[in-house]
Amino acid sequence: MPSIKIICPNGHLGFAPLKPDSFQRGVAAGPDYIAADSGSDDIGPVPLGTDTSTSPEAWQRQDLEAMLLAARRIDVPMIIGSAGDTGTNSRVDRYVAIIQELAKKHGLAPFKLGYFYSEVDKDRVRSAIGSDEPVLGLDGRDPLTQAELDATNRIVAMAGVHPYRKLLEQGCDVIIGGRSSDCAIFAAAALHRGTTEADAYYLGKVLECASFCAEPYGAKETVLGAVNGNGVTVTAMHPDQRCTIASVAGHAMYERSNPYDEFVAGGRLDMRDCHYEQIDPRTTRVTGQRFVPAERIRVKLEGAGKVGERFIGIASIRDPYTIAHIDEVIAWAQAQVFERFGQSGYELHYGVYGKNGVMGELEPVKTPAHELCIVVQGVAPTEEMAEEVCMTGTRQLFYARLPEVKGTAGGVAFVLDEVLKASPAYRWTVNHTLAVDDPLELFPTHTVTVGA
């Protein structure tokens, strides 16, 4: 009967450091693998577009060091997916270099390091546009066009289990993956041990965010998932957390518009008939999951395109009359920007926190708070223009001409007199799928021996 135990110490490795106490409890439980996902598109398109990490390297290095030392000490494979937030080639190379540096620092015995890339050449995507198998859009998007591809700076493909399984079959002790489906990182190890696809993918689904599947809430605590021939079990490693029927089922449903299906390259995990059972105070067992293979393998692509340079201005308002007329105040400031720059060739955005800054038009509370914070974003082709657009759009809030105001200016205060240079603005240009004959086509693998 195939069985496997995997611990996951961190969801989106590096975004916040793992908690060492529950991690060591997980290591002491004798896992067969130590694995974590390190990426997310929740962070927006900027890191992919700029080919940077959104997390400090110190946090990423800390988690990699803890996981590497534990994995080598108990002699089990360590698997990391979506290296460095985005899984671009440079992030994979950086993680490989960190592993090599850590191995030298700690004098580790030789081990086999495997890694794979996931960046996709635009010409490969271009060849599919207009073919018999176009690049299909997700979430209501139209098929990808040449124009939208031209507006794209960088594309990564989302790997399924295939490159991980290849590297595991080659005997790799440590694997650093490019952009990957979160659950595939764990499912690959389970499939390598001979479990069913349904159990493997559910195991991956429940482990991908570490203790997000446990209660009470406590991010970055380790959880242990297992398959032993009778479904999937998941156990919280923090002594004050529990994996309950509600917490595990709730986690299975989140992050997707359809709560019952998890799509990966090569198929779909169907969770409609899952049965959840509390088998001890900290452990829930899940049965009834199904895996439906796809007739054609389509790989998800993610691409980001630059919109322009960006500056941020911050203004605050306490004056009740100005708050009551906040839409007119913003309209005045916008008009001053239009007067100087025209109405196109740049972007100007106002986020009014205390009114609808988070929910936008979906905000059900229509009465503004007694004080507001306005975050102004100016985006333009050059830094100079973006700064001036943002400065004008922010500072002119101060000079808004409102009816019945008898004084001069002063209804608005600025946190800083200047506006702040921010990261360039990017947008998601590619959220599509590409048909492939070989699931490894977009994910070249490599191996190297590391250590003394």
Side-chain angles (χ1 to χ4, degrees):
M1 177 185 300
S3 66
I4 185 173
K5 292 191 294 185
I6 303 177
I7 60 169
C8 176
N10 206 337
H12 194 170
L13 180 151
F15 201 71
L18 65 79
K19 300 295 187 182
D21 289 348
S22 63
F23 175 60
Q24 292 305 329
R25 289 174 186 271
V27 174
D32 300 297
Y33 293 84
I34 300 174
D37 160 51
S38 180
S40 176
D41 57 13
D42 295 345
I43 55 180
V46 171
L48 177 59
T50 55
D51 197 13
T52 58
S53 292
T54 192
S55 305
E57 182 171 308
W59 295 358
Q60 300 176 61
R61 181 181 288 271
Q62 173 191 301
D63 285 12
L64 292 172
E65 185 168 25
M67 294 174 66
L68 177 65
L69 294 182
R72 300 318 307 138
R73 177 166 55 83
I74 63 174
D75 194 22
V76 301
M78 162 187 168
I79 305 176
I80 303 294
S82 296
D85 300 318
T86 64
T88 58
N89 294 359
S90 75
R91 302 303 95 184
V92 171
D93 288 340
R94 186 67 199 122
Y95 271 29
V96 167
I98 290 174
I99 294 295
Q100 292 171 323
E101 292 165 14
L102 292 173
K104 182 177 181 181
K105 172 184 173 182
H106 293 285
L108 298 181
F111 60 89
K112 194 169 186 177
L113 169 63
Y115 57 99
F116 69 86
Y117 296 118
S118 62
E119 280 194 39
V120 182
D121 189 278
K122 288 169 70 172
D123 287 341
R124 170 64 181 88
V125 181
R126 196 180 304 279
S127 66
I129 297 175
S131 71
D132 294 337
E133 293 187 308
V135 186
L136 300 178
L138 295 168
D139 301 327
R141 290 191 178 216
D142 293 331
L144 189 65
T145 65
Q146 298 284 0
E148 198 68 341
L149 181 62
D150 290 340
T152 301
N153 293 92
R154 189 166 290 100
I155 303 173
V156 289
M158 184 171 282
V161 298
H162 313 90
Y164 290 102
R165 294 193 70 181
K166 179 179 178 181
L167 291 170
L168 287 170
E169 289 163 2
Q170 292 178 341
C172 290
D173 301 295
V174 176
I175 297 176
I176 301 297
R179 187 70 174 119
S180 309
S181 298
D182 298 353
C183 69
I185 300 161
F186 309 90
L191 291 170
H192 185 65
R193 283 296 185 96
T195 68
T196 66
E197 291 177 312
D199 283 352
Y201 283 103
Y202 193 95
L203 181 67
K205 178 59 193 165
V206 77
L207 290 180
E208 65 182 23
C209 294
S211 61
F212 273 20
C213 64
E215 63 180 54
Y217 178 76
K220 310 305 180 183
E221 300 289 356
T222 295
V223 294
L224 184 150
V227 176
N228 57 15
N230 188 22
V232 174
T233 61
V234 57
T235 305
M237 291 292 100
H238 191 287
D240 295 333
Q241 282 192 310
R242 308 174 303 278
C243 288
T244 67
I245 292 173
S247 68
V248 174
H251 179 267
M253 296 180 181
Y254 100 126
E255 276 196 326
R256 297 181 308 283
S257 56
N258 178 338
Y260 299 114
D261 294 318
E262 176 82 5
F263 289 90
V264 295
R268 168 176 62 89
L269 178 66
D270 184 338
M271 295 177 278
R272 286 170 178 77
D273 296 323
C274 281
H275 175 73
Y276 296 83
E277 177 186 5
Q278 195 79 45
I279 60 173
D280 70 39
R282 293 190 296 125
T283 304
T284 285
R285 174 187 291 134
V286 187
T287 55
Q289 51 272 14
R290 296 187 306 124
F291 185 76
V292 183
E295 295 181 0
R296 184 81 167 100
I297 294 180
R298 299 192 67 90
V299 179
K300 181 187 178 188
L301 304 179
E302 297 175 345
K306 187 174 182 179
V307 179
E309 304 298 331
R310 176 165 52 179
F311 278 76
I312 301 288
I314 306 174
S316 54
I317 302 175
R318 177 62 176 80
D319 171 51
Y321 188 80
T322 305
I323 289 175
H325 294 82
I326 185 60
D327 292 339
E328 296 164 65
V329 171
I330 291 174
W332 165 269
Q334 287 176 317
Q336 308 315 301
V337 177
F338 295 162
E339 183 177 297
R340 178 159 178 78
F341 296 101
Q343 297 196 23
S344 62
Y346 62 91
E347 293 186 14
L348 180 64
H349 303 281
Y350 291 87
V352 185
Y353 295 90
K355 180 173 180 283
N356 60 359
V358 177
M359 298 281 285
E361 295 301 317
L362 297 177
E363 173 57 58
V365 178
K366 300 302 181 186
T367 303
H370 73 281
E371 61 181 12
L372 303 179
C373 177
I374 304 177
V375 176
V376 184
Q377 293 189 57
V379 179
T382 66
E383 285 190 14
E384 293 76 14
M385 184 177 177
E387 183 177 20
E388 192 176 350
V389 166
C390 188
M391 181 71 79
T392 306
T394 303
R395 193 165 290 175
Q396 286 293 332
L397 295 168
F398 189 76
Y399 296 113
R401 297 173 186 173
L402 297 176
E404 301 180 10
V405 171
K406 296 182 174 59
T408 54
V412 174
F414 300 115
V415 177
L416 300 167
D417 187 52
E418 69 270 31
V419 295
L420 307 176
K421 188 177 187 309
S423 60
Y426 281 78
R427 63 183 177 89
W428 292 115
T429 51
V430 180
N431 183 28
H432 293 71
T433 64
L434 178 71
V436 296
D437 294 324
D438 179 357
L440 290 168
E441 174 196 339
L442 305 178
F443 309 102
T445 60
H446 307 270
T447 62
V448 62
T449 299
V450 175

